[in-house]
Amino acid sequence: MPNILFEKCAISGIGETAYVRGSGKSETALQMEASLRAIADAGLSPKDIDGVIPYATGSAVAEDFITNFGIADLRLSATTPLGGAGCIAAVQNAVGAIVAGIANHVLIPIGRNGYSGARIGSRVQQLPQFRTVGEFEMPLGQIAPVQLYAQMARRHMETFGTKSEHFGKIAVTIREHATMNENTLMTEPLTLEQHQNSRMISDPLRLFDCCLESDGGAAIVISSGERARDLKSKPVYIMGIAEGHPDSPSAITQRPDMTTLGTAKAAPRAFGMAGVDHKDIDVAEIYDCFTYIVLCQLEDLGFCKKGEGGDFVASTSLGLDGPMPINTHGGLLSQAHIIGMNHIVELAKQLRGEAGKAQVRDAKIGLVTGYGDMGDGGVAIMRA
Amino acid sequence: MEIERIRPSLNEDTKPYWDGLKDGRLLFQKCGHCGTIRHYPRQVCSECFSMNVEWIEASGKGKVHTWAVSHHAFHPFFKRDLPMTFVTADMDEGVRVCARLRGDGVIPSIGMPVRVAFERLDDDLTVPVFYPA
């Protein structure tokens, strides 16, 4: 199948702040800092940005970018409130706008104080997508995503024989990758024994099945392929992109198949658009808010069949030298929780050959996912 | 300082459900046109798109679909309740209910029969709970 997006849109610039616990900066400042770095990486001026898709539940709005950057004629502003799938959904919006000729350089910034700002329990209560859970489940004590996802994980375990050790292997591998990264919160290796001995947060999910709470910002610029080719950094072309929403998107407990995410709807569309097959993927950055969500996405993406994720993880190396390197930066589990924008930035680095110690040899085609809001999935396939 | 519990908004769409619980009745919405039963309460029947709705009293009987045990509270009010076992059950009416599991030392498993009971927390709030059936 031909790639219908062939060299039409590319990541032209990437930028990250330091990932820390306690940034001492406002969330808007983190977004501005990451954005300026991404714009400089592209070799653009902030004034060149003519589209912005700010973090949907963040502090900064399009007006802040117009004001700070002196943008004369912003042609596109939107938000994509899909939680951790929001960054991929933003890229999809940027691609649509660029292909339609609406904008030339679309900025997608993330910046948050997930550690020093509002904690998760109070944060989700503010989100409109959590209104149903807020009305019917939070009054019972079921509040945070880990509590909801624990019920998904249990269903998978009891139905398919998936084990906590399978989750552990994912956590151990991703931690190993974090130790190769200089901009990371977790710097020491994790053993399977440490994972198995870590305390239960929401049984069956343990502490080391859960992502970090961290402060930081990351941003990308999406440009038309034509313009990106003349810019400073090597363009990373978007070959295929899709978002997918699960059945019963607002209440996991009412979902007909609790073990399938919106990713299962997005993946065939993204692969079809890209015109590539699973065996063509050299590196994959999989949204990892929880280890179970990685395992479930590997199934929903089609790397293995539904229910076989445990066996797949047990029998396949997820490391840099294996057939399926994942989360080469350390992910949300061990690098930092930057809503998956750190996954997109890492994929761009891998495909540009700039991933340092974690560089996957000959990484030509890569995949990145987003996941959030109880089941929304995003999938993007890229190449340099 | 007394920590406030999390309360439902009791809006036009959801108040009948919570009022039912206060009366010791688990209510589901039934489409006034095609009869499809749905939960959680919402505005439109996704089968026939009718906005006509009636409320039926549920049998309260179901079987465990999945479960989890919270060891971290995420809201200070619930620290006193840890650990909390949550069960999501397939009810006889074809919808699911999520509620805390009561009954000492019971470890649930998929398919285990449960029945709904009602716990009055204060004058304004009664919540459903499950017991092994």
Side-chain angles (χ1 to χ4, degrees):
Chain A
M1 195 187 292
N3 177 199
I4 58 167
L5 272 183
F6 184 75
E7 296 190 355
K8 287 207 171 85
C9 298
I11 296 177
S12 56
I14 55 176
E16 293 171 288
T17 70
Y19 297 148
V20 294
R21 286 174 169 159
S23 69
K25 296 170 185 172
S26 73
E27 295 192 338
T28 301
L30 290 169
Q31 292 186 45
M32 295 298 161
E33 186 181 330
S35 295
L36 289 172
R37 287 183 184 179
I39 292 163
D41 179 62
L44 291 166
S45 159
K47 288 183 195 299
D48 294 328
I49 296 300
D50 57 6
V52 61
I53 305 179
Y55 175 35
T57 48
S59 56
V61 292
E63 286 79 352
D64 292 313
F65 293 90
I66 295 172
T67 307
N68 279 291
F69 294 171
I71 297 169
D73 185 15
L74 191 84
R75 304 172 182 193
L76 169 77
S77 75
T79 57
T80 49
L82 285 78
C87 290
I88 300 289
V91 174
Q92 178 174 257
N93 277 265
V95 164
I98 288 166
V99 169
I102 292 166
N104 294 312
H105 302 293
V106 180
L107 173 69
I108 309 175
I110 292 289
R112 67 197 295 249
N113 287 320
Y115 178 80
S116 58
R119 303 302 291 270
I120 184 73
S122 54
R123 205 160 59 227
V124 291
Q125 287 178 51
Q126 311 301 322
L127 301 175
Q129 307 92 293
F130 276 75
R131 208 172 276 149
T132 302
V133 170
E135 184 74 10
F136 299 107
E137 296 177 9
M138 288 187 194
L140 315 180
Q142 182 159 268
I143 296 156
V146 67
Q147 296 174 287
L148 305 163
Y149 299 171
Q151 294 207 40
M152 297 162 92
R154 175 85 64 196
R155 179 77 190 175
H156 199 284
M157 293 168 89
E158 288 200 9
T159 306
F160 302 120
T162 313
K163 294 182 168 58
S164 174
E165 287 83 353
H166 297 141
F167 304 156
K169 183 178 174 188
I170 290 169
V172 167
T173 304
I174 293 175
R175 175 66 66 84
E176 188 186 331
H177 295 165
T179 65
M180 299 175 194
N181 193 327
E182 281 169 18
N183 189 13
T184 181
L185 288 180
M186 294 292 120
T187 55
E188 297 297 321
L190 177 76
T191 65
L192 186 60
E193 192 180 5
Q194 285 173 317
H195 172 275
Q196 289 294 296
N197 289 334
S198 66
R199 68 189 164 94
M200 284 291 185
I201 301 296
S202 188
D203 189 349
L205 298 179
R206 300 172 182 279
L207 178 67
F208 290 134
D209 291 311
C210 302
C211 58
L212 302 167
E213 294 187 296
S214 54
D215 300 347
I220 55 172
V221 179
I222 308 284
S223 302
S224 70
E226 201 180 346
R227 286 167 192 266
R229 276 187 285 285
D230 296 332
L231 294 175
K232 192 174 115 192
S233 292
K234 192 175 180 181
V236 174
Y237 294 106
I238 294 144
M239 304 174 72
I241 188 150
E243 71 179 56
H245 299 260
D247 300 332
S248 184
S250 301
I252 291 166
T253 53
Q254 302 298 327
R255 188 166 300 160
D257 177 1
M258 219 185 259
T259 61
T260 296
L261 310 171
T263 314
K265 299 181 189 181
R269 285 190 266 117
F271 275 99
M273 192 186 289
V276 301
D277 198 7
H278 293 77
K279 65 180 182 335
D280 300 319
I281 303 296
D282 298 315
V283 56
E285 314 297 352
I286 312 280
Y287 196 91
D288 54 340
C289 46
F290 301 97
T291 51
Y292 165 72
I293 296 297
V294 175
L295 185 143
C296 192
Q297 285 177 94
L298 289 171
E299 296 173 345
D300 289 343
L301 288 163
F303 286 103
C304 59
K305 288 186 186 148
K306 180 53 65 187
E308 295 179 358
D311 287 342
F312 179 80
V313 164
S315 63
T316 310
S317 167
L318 306 173
L320 298 182
D321 296 328
M324 182 81 213
I326 67 162
N327 299 21
T328 47
H329 54 329
L332 308 181
L333 287 168
S334 285
Q335 187 199 25
H337 191 328
I338 314 295
I339 325 283
M341 186 54 87
N342 49 330
H343 292 56
I344 299 177
V345 167
E346 173 68 9
L347 182 61
K349 285 185 191 172
Q350 287 283 346
L351 298 174
R352 280 158 51 159
E354 298 170 2
K357 286 183 197 163
Q359 181 66 49
V360 172
R361 218 175 317 122
D362 298 327
K364 290 192 172 61
I365 296 177
L367 175 149
V368 54
T369 72
Y371 166 85
D373 280 348
M374 297 176 283
D376 294 345
V379 182
I381 298 169
M382 305 188 194
R383 70 165 176 82
Chain B
M1 196 177 78
E2 184 63 20
I3 301 161
E4 268 295 301
R5 64 164 63 250
I6 299 176
R7 293 182 182 279
S9 72
L10 302 179
N11 62 42
E12 293 85 343
D13 296 324
T14 69
K15 192 168 181 297
Y17 169 76
W18 290 106
D19 284 347
L21 293 173
K22 272 208 279 190
D23 296 339
R25 304 191 313 149
L26 175 65
L27 301 182
F28 294 145
Q29 284 183 327
K30 182 180 177 185
C31 175
H33 181 72
C34 75
T36 301
I37 294 170
R38 64 184 189 248
H39 198 57
Y40 294 120
R42 60 171 189 264
Q43 299 79 22
V44 177
C45 173
S46 58
E47 296 297 317
C48 75
F49 317 119
S50 169
M51 292 185 78
N52 294 329
V53 68
E54 51 190 271
W55 294 83
I56 59 158
E57 184 170 355
S59 67
K61 291 189 288 190
K63 288 181 176 152
V64 173
H65 185 83
T66 188
W67 58 283
V69 185
S70 294
H71 294 268
H72 188 90
F74 296 98
H75 184 284
F77 185 86
F78 294 102
K79 277 182 186 167
R80 69 196 76 174
D81 290 353
L82 294 176
M84 300 184 281
T85 301
F86 288 91
V87 157
T88 297
D90 293 304
M91 306 306 286
D92 286 1
E93 290 80 4
V95 299
R96 298 212 191 106
V97 166
C98 177
R100 298 261 295 276
L101 182 71
R102 298 302 189 194
D104 288 340
V106 178
I107 297 172
S109 60
I110 291 177
M112 186 183 94
V114 288
R115 64 178 171 82
V116 158
F118 305 91
E119 279 187 10
R120 184 181 172 280
L121 303 180
D122 56 36
D123 287 348
D124 298 321
L125 189 60
T126 297
V127 298
V129 293
F130 281 124
Y131 280 88

